[in-house]
Amino acid sequence: MLPRAHCAGSRCDMQILRVSQINRYIRDLLDGDQALQNLWLEGEVSNFTQAPSGHVYFTLKDEASQIRCVMWRSRANQQVRLPRHGEAVVAHGYIAVYEAQGSYQFYVDLIQPAGLGALHLAFEALKARLEAEGLFAAERKRPLPRFPKTIGLVTSPQAAALRDILHILSQRYPLAQVILAPAMVQGEEAPAQIVAALAALNAQPEVEVIILARGGGSLEELWAFNDERVARAVAASRVPLVCGVGHETDFTIADFVADVRAPTPTAAAALVVPDRRELQVVIEQRRQRLLGLVEARLADGHRNLSYTRQALHRYSPQAQVFAYRQQVDDLLSRAARRVEHRLQLARERLISRSAQLASLSPLATLERGYAIVRHGRNGQIVRLVRQVRPGDAVDVRVSDGTFGATVGRQKELGL
Amino acid sequence: VSPGNVESLSFEQAFQELEEAIQQLEAGNLTLEESIALFERGTQLAAHCSKLLDQAELRVRQLVPAPEGGDELAEFRGEAGEEPF
């Protein structure tokens, strides 16, 4: 509030304000005017500059007037392209007071070339705003359940889209249950009804995923899906939401906020459930895998069994007896071989001794011309001269016999 | 091997258990009896999954305003006399 001037009696006490007080007052006035908070302005760009900070400053003007404009760096960065001097544009933003200079400015968050339709501009403005809020961020996107038991569906009960979706769901995955929350999907009432339907489905605890769908239509017919209330309800959904609105080429704000964007209602249904024909193939593969695994296990078992059987055989008492018997046979034959060896050695030694004996025999000496002389009386071998006297009879043995002789002259050699 | 009747399992439960049975068999540190029991259970699970897929019919219900406020669920019949899907 502006401080009031006080009048008492005839004398008025004029209150004197500071500059910043009046500027703040005007600022509050402008801030309180809703018409100035959400505004489209059309004009020609002049004095366009981008400061080193990244903030953009320019003037918008028509034939008679002009207004200072500011676009903060964060907004300027989101622009596909920035306008140039002299370009005709439509800009969105709000009017506020720049207190430091006592001027009011247009704070721009979006600039489009002039000539685009109003709906398009509103779409771009909302899109830019929600994107800046982070509502489209990839990290907000939730995965869909693999085998949803209950699917919530928001669409018009009269539309072909509903029939298409139910057809796809019953073809692909009839195990699912569907809870339809009917809503008008075009017209004035549509956003509020869609928001209510989403809330009602979110209140159903068994709902695991929601499809928000509408068939193709003009930009105006799809407009409910560009409504901020709908966008926020989609973002607030407790369960993941798939948006399938219009045709392939239609993008709505709800598409950007949804966890998954499907190009059409039919595609949305196909994204939400698996296909039972593919599942049957998977199940058959699992069955084969089970069979293969258990067969491998059985083969292992067989192999182990035969190892065990062999081991058992090796250690059986009968096998032990056979083993001992063989050992005895081995020992016996080794002993026999050893005895035989000894005999052989003895035999060889005997032969060599006989030969030695033969070479030492006195007969051989006699043959070489020696003779053995024995005393004729006592038969003693005469080795020394003094064993005999002259006239003693002796027997002389030569190699082939004996003859008698008488001892004659004696002489000791004194050796 | 988990106890319980295969017939009473949902598709998701049965499919999950089937995957687990295969993982256990693949891990390979089971006795022969355990392996065969898992195999039998897995075969039943696969058959149950397959049957559920074959026999299921899509059930569609609709949220309608309840007389006492809030919503209640009613069977969805589609447009009058028209087969919805």
Side-chain angles (χ1 to χ4, degrees):
Chain A
M1 284 294 284
L2 184 67
R4 298 288 293 269
H6 298 287
C7 291
S10 61
R11 186 171 146 245
C12 277
D13 270 335
M14 295 299 290
Q15 174 110 13
I16 299 166
L17 299 176
R18 295 166 54 77
V19 172
S20 54
Q21 283 179 302
I22 192 64
N23 274 344
R24 198 163 305 139
Y25 176 75
I26 294 169
R27 182 197 70 185
D28 291 345
L29 271 184
L30 298 194
D31 285 355
D33 188 333
Q34 287 306 310
L36 298 179
Q37 300 311 309
N38 185 11
L39 196 66
W40 287 101
L41 275 186
E42 189 173 11
E44 189 188 310
V45 174
S46 66
N47 300 324
F48 182 93
T49 55
Q50 185 161 23
S53 61
H55 305 316
V56 168
Y57 303 93
F58 58 97
T59 304
L60 269 187
K61 63 178 185 182
D62 58 18
E63 304 76 29
S65 190
Q66 58 183 32
I67 185 170
R68 285 290 306 161
C69 302
V70 181
M71 192 176 201
W72 302 126
R73 181 181 56 196
S74 60
R75 298 299 191 162
N77 287 344
Q78 285 169 20
Q79 283 286 126
V80 176
R81 64 175 286 274
L82 289 167
R84 293 198 200 99
H85 182 81
E87 222 165 22
V89 299
V90 176
H92 179 268
Y94 62 95
I95 305 277
V97 169
Y98 179 35
E99 286 179 64
Q101 293 199 348
S103 62
Y104 65 89
Q105 300 186 116
F106 185 37
Y107 292 84
V108 177
D109 52 39
L110 186 73
I111 305 178
Q112 296 280 308
L116 292 175
L119 284 180
H120 181 81
L121 295 174
F123 175 88
E124 291 296 336
L126 179 61
K127 180 169 169 248
R129 192 147 52 84
L130 296 183
E131 187 163 20
E133 266 185 50
L135 253 58
F136 307 163
E139 56 269 25
R140 291 191 79 255
K141 310 292 183 194
R142 294 164 292 188
L144 305 181
R146 188 175 180 196
F147 302 117
K149 286 190 277 293
T150 306
I151 299 165
L153 176 57
V154 177
T155 194
S156 161
Q158 284 85 34
L162 173 62
R163 259 197 316 281
D164 292 345
I165 288 170
L166 294 180
H167 178 72
I168 293 290
L169 292 179
S170 82
Q171 288 295 302
R172 284 175 65 94
Y173 194 69
L175 287 170
Q177 297 195 9
V178 177
I179 296 180
L180 171 68
M184 287 177 62
V185 289
Q186 71 184 69
E188 285 284 305
E189 289 296 304
Q193 287 200 8
I194 291 169
V195 169
L198 288 174
L201 284 179
N202 268 281
Q204 297 291 318
E206 68 265 43
V207 170
E208 294 170 66
V209 58
I210 291 174
I211 300 173
L212 173 59
R214 189 206 187 285
S218 65
L219 184 59
E220 287 76 11
E221 285 169 334
L222 300 183
W223 195 248
F225 297 90
N226 293 322
D227 188 284
E228 184 171 352
R229 289 166 290 170
V230 170
R232 294 200 180 277
V234 168
S237 179
R238 169 181 66 83
V239 296
L241 186 144
V242 178
C243 192
V245 172
H247 296 303
E248 198 90 37
T249 50
D250 298 321
F251 277 84
T252 65
I253 299 290
D255 282 326
F256 292 115
V257 185
D259 293 282
V260 177
R261 185 245 172 195
T264 61
T266 316
L271 276 171
V272 162
V273 291
D275 185 351
R276 66 169 149 180
R277 281 161 300 185
E278 287 165 22
L279 281 176
Q280 293 285 24
V281 172
V282 171
I283 290 165
E284 184 51 32
Q285 284 167 352
R286 297 292 185 274
R287 214 197 302 265
Q288 293 298 327
R289 181 83 185 120
L290 267 180
L291 195 61
L293 282 167
V294 85
E295 275 174 353
R297 184 69 187 79
L298 279 173
D300 265 0
H302 274 303
R303 227 184 342 268
N304 286 343
L305 188 60
S306 75
Y307 287 148
T308 312
R309 196 176 279 155
Q310 281 169 21
L312 203 58
H313 183 72
R314 250 194 321 277
Y315 299 119
S316 77
Q318 196 189 13
Q320 301 261 11
V321 169
F322 281 133
Y324 285 135
R325 188 173 292 168
Q326 189 175 2
Q327 228 173 330
V328 169
D329 287 347
D330 276 353
L331 288 172
L332 282 177
S333 74
R334 271 167 64 196
R337 271 200 304 280
R338 185 156 303 176
V339 168
E340 179 61 32
H341 182 63
R342 289 251 168 111
L343 282 174
Q344 182 64 28
L345 284 180
R347 216 173 273 136
E348 281 165 9
R349 218 162 33 225
L350 188 62
I351 289 167
S352 91
R353 288 286 153 89
S354 300
Q356 242 179 329
L357 203 59
S359 73
L360 292 174
S361 162
L363 293 177
T365 311
L366 295 181
E367 274 176 10
R368 291 207 304 273
Y370 294 87
I372 300 169
V373 179
R374 290 177 191 272
H375 207 287
R377 223 175 27 247
N378 54 19
Q380 277 178 343
I381 291 174
V382 179
R383 290 187 180 81
L384 300 168
V385 172
R386 65 174 176 267
Q387 283 179 270
V388 291
R389 302 218 170 138
D392 280 357
V394 292
D395 290 324
V396 178
R397 171 81 162 93
V398 291
S399 67
D400 61 340
T402 61
F403 58 86
T406 304
V407 176
R409 188 173 46 93
Q410 287 181 303
K411 183 182 181 186
E412 287 181 48
L413 292 177
L415 294 174
Chain B
V1 177
S2 41
N5 186 2
V6 166
E7 294 295 313
S8 63
L9 296 178
S10 74
F11 177 84
E12 187 177 9
Q13 289 168 327
F15 191 82
Q16 170 97 34
E17 202 189 314
L18 175 59
E19 301 273 41
E20 286 165 5
I22 288 172
Q23 280 167 17
Q24 276 182 277
L25 278 171
E26 280 171 340
N29 42 11
L30 298 172
T31 67
L32 194 59
E33 281 94 338
E34 288 167 336
S35 298
I36 289 171
L38 262 183
F39 167 72
E40 282 172 350
R41 176 83 175 173
T43 307
Q44 289 168 8
L45 289 165
H48 180 58
C49 285
S50 186
K51 195 182 81 183
L52 284 178
L53 287 178
D54 279 342
Q55 294 182 348
E57 277 187 44
L58 190 72
R59 183 180 181 206
V60 184
R61 289 173 295 169
Q62 179 175 356
L63 285 174
V64 292
E68 65 273 18
D71 296 298
E72 61 186 21
L73 284 168
E75 292 301 317
F76 177 74
R77 305 251 173 251
E79 294 304 288
E82 186 189 337
E83 193 60 34
F85 45 91

